[in-house]
Amino acid sequence: MEKNKPKIAIDGPAGAGKSTVAREVSRRLGIKYLDTGAMYRAITLKVLRENIKLEDTTALVRVLENTKIQLGDDNGVFLDGEDVTEEIRSSGVNGLVSPVSAISSVRRHLVSVQQAIAAESDGIIMEGRDIGSRVMPDADYKFYLDASIEERARRRCREQLEKGITLSLEAVGAEIKNRDNIDSQREDSPLTIVDDALVVDTTGMTFDEVVDKIVETVYGGQR
Ligand code: DC
C-alpha cells in the first residue's frame, strides 16, 4: 500500500482538549484517529477490577499479555470484548491511570501496539503524552496542545455537565494537576515538549480555531 497521508502527533497535559480536537482533525483530513490515553485507561480498569498491586510485576505482565483492547471508529473502547467507553472515564480510573502509565512494562507493551497500528495505517493522528517523543518520533507534524490549569478544569466540568454530571471545579483542578505532575515527572517517556513540536496555547482559543490551526499547518506543509 502506498502511504501518502500525514502522520500527526498531538501531545499535551490532561484536559487540553486533545481528544476532541484530534477527532475533528481526523474527520477533516480523512485519516485514522488513535486515542492512546484510552488504552492506558482500559489497562488501568482491568488492574482495578482484578485488584492487581502495582508492585506485582508478574501479575501485571500477565494482565498485559491477556488483555485485548479495541478502539472503535465511533470512540467506543472495548476491553476483552466488553464496551467500557464510559467506565474508563470514571473517577477510580482517573485516580490510578497515571501511576499505571508510569510502569515501564505497561508502556513498552502499549507503545509497540501503537507503533504497529501507525505502521499499517495510511496517515494517522495519534494523541497522548509521548507520541512525538517516543511512539512516532518520525511524525510529519507534531503539536503540543496546552491551556491554563483553570481553563482545563473549566472545560472538563462543562463537558461533564453536558452529560448531566456536576463536578466541583476545585476537585477537577486538583485531579488534573496531580496527573500532570506524575505524567511529566515519571522516568519513562514523560510528558515533554519536543524541539520540533508546534506549541498551541488554546487558553483563549475556540475549538474551531484550534482545529483550523492544525489543519492549516498540515495543508500549508509548515511545521
Ligand atoms: O489523555 P488521557 O487523559 O485520557 O490519558 C490518561 C492517562 O494515560 C494520562 O494521565 C497519562 C497516560 N498516558 C500516557 O502515559 N501516555 C500516553 N501516550 C497517553 C496517556
Side-chain angles (χ1 to χ4, degrees):
M1 179 176 69
E2 214 176 307
K3 293 179 181 165
N4 300 319
K5 293 185 177 168
K7 284 188 192 169
I8 304 171
I10 300 197
D11 290 297
K18 301 184 299 294
S19 304
T20 40
V21 165
R23 202 172 295 131
E24 177 59 12
V25 173
S26 103
R27 198 189 63 77
R28 298 250 301 256
L29 298 180
I31 56 175
K32 187 179 175 64
Y33 161 58
L34 194 74
D35 173 0
T36 63
M39 301 170 105
Y40 287 93
R41 287 173 176 275
I43 290 288
T44 303
L45 178 59
K46 189 144 172 182
V47 163
L48 271 170
R49 284 180 173 178
E50 300 202 354
N51 215 358
I52 309 277
K53 302 267 171 299
L54 300 193
E55 315 72 68
D56 189 348
T57 33
T58 317
L60 253 181
V61 170
R62 197 189 60 237
V63 165
L64 291 168
E65 284 170 353
N66 295 294
T67 300
K68 193 168 177 202
I69 301 167
Q70 291 159 297
L71 304 184
D73 286 336
D74 55 349
N75 313 325
V77 181
F78 296 84
L79 176 63
D80 300 323
E82 178 193 343
D83 186 347
V84 293
T85 314
E86 293 295 323
E87 212 176 337
I88 59 161
R89 311 276 163 201
S90 65
S91 59
V93 171
N94 280 342
L96 196 68
V97 68
S98 286
V100 169
S101 320
I103 299 169
S104 285
S105 55
V106 173
R107 304 206 67 77
R108 239 187 338 265
H109 180 81
L110 290 183
V111 167
S112 78
V113 174
Q114 292 153 11
Q115 288 177 332
I117 295 172
E120 69 191 23
S121 307
D122 180 14
I124 192 162
I125 180 162
M126 212 187 275
E127 164 260 301
R129 304 291 186 289
D130 60 342
I131 310 303
S133 61
R134 173 83 184 83
V135 183
M136 297 200 301
D138 62 338
D140 300 299
Y141 299 93
K142 297 181 184 178
F143 297 91
Y144 185 94
L145 293 196
D146 210 348
S148 71
I149 182 83
E150 294 80 13
E151 175 65 14
R152 289 187 281 135
R154 259 196 306 274
R155 285 182 193 162
R156 195 44 64 89
C157 284
R158 214 179 301 136
E159 219 173 74
Q160 292 300 310
L161 199 60
E162 279 166 17
K163 295 187 201 162
I165 305 164
T166 309
L167 296 174
S168 112
L169 199 59
E170 290 70 32
V172 172
E175 183 246 297
I176 288 180
K177 219 179 239 173
N178 182 45
R179 277 209 285 140
D180 282 356
N181 283 340
I182 303 176
D183 296 344
S184 52
Q185 282 166 23
R186 68 180 177 226
E187 259 176 51
D188 193 339
S189 30
L191 170 68
T192 43
I193 307 177
V194 289
D195 288 344
D196 49 349
L198 177 67
V199 179
V200 183
D201 182 351
T202 70
T203 307
M205 295 172 78
T206 65
F207 171 74
D208 288 332
E209 284 170 342
V210 181
V211 171
D212 286 348
K213 171 95 193 152
I214 294 177
V215 171
E216 279 161 18
T217 304
V218 172
Y219 277 146
Q222 336 148 1
R223 278 175 168 248

